[in-house]
Amino acid sequence: MTKPPVLRIAAVQLLLVSLAGAVLYLSGKPVTARSVLIGGALCALPGVYFGWHAFRDSGARSAQRVVGNFYRGQAGKFVLTLAGFAAVFATVKPLNAAALFISYGLCVIVQWVLAARMVR
């Protein structure tokens, strides 16, 4: 079985956010770099959970199980994202909130673009 596209998308997201974080760190902005890395991880890692959970089963005989896995995977992704943001804001000090949210938003856009390209 080939890897689900969701996992490839998360790998690209983590690669891009790592590169951006490295550039920011090397340019003397360690707090912003860490915030960018965390924001990207808050988007990509729940996506990995979804991909792992949603694509466990396949085939026509397990169609209902596949649909259930998608719902559970999406619910888990939502909970992980919320818990991740709560944990970050409660524990990470200092934090550049703007960089965190911009990084998260850009990772979501990358996810949409890559998913649209893979569908074609």
Side-chain angles (χ1 to χ4, degrees), residues 11-115:
V12 170
Q13 289 172 317
L14 290 173
L15 176 68
L16 292 174
V17 84
S18 296
L19 290 172
V23 168
L24 286 166
Y25 184 80
L26 293 173
S27 66
K29 299 176 181 175
V31 173
T32 304
R34 182 175 57 190
S35 299
V36 164
L37 288 170
I38 292 170
L42 285 173
C43 181
L45 295 180
V48 169
Y49 173 82
F50 170 77
W52 172 76
H53 202 75
F55 293 101
R56 286 191 304 184
D57 298 315
S58 64
R61 293 185 181 180
S62 60
Q64 285 191 337
R65 203 172 25 204
V66 169
V67 171
N69 286 343
F70 267 76
Y71 281 118
R72 282 188 285 286
Q74 188 61 34
K77 179 180 173 181
F78 183 72
V79 169
L80 285 173
T81 302
L82 289 178
F85 273 110
V88 166
F89 282 113
T91 61
V92 178
K93 305 287 186 227
L95 181 71
N96 184 337
L100 178 91
F101 284 118
I102 289 169
S103 174
Y104 180 84
L106 289 175
C107 277
V108 170
I109 292 170
V110 166
Q111 180 180 345
W112 294 341
V113 169
L114 291 177

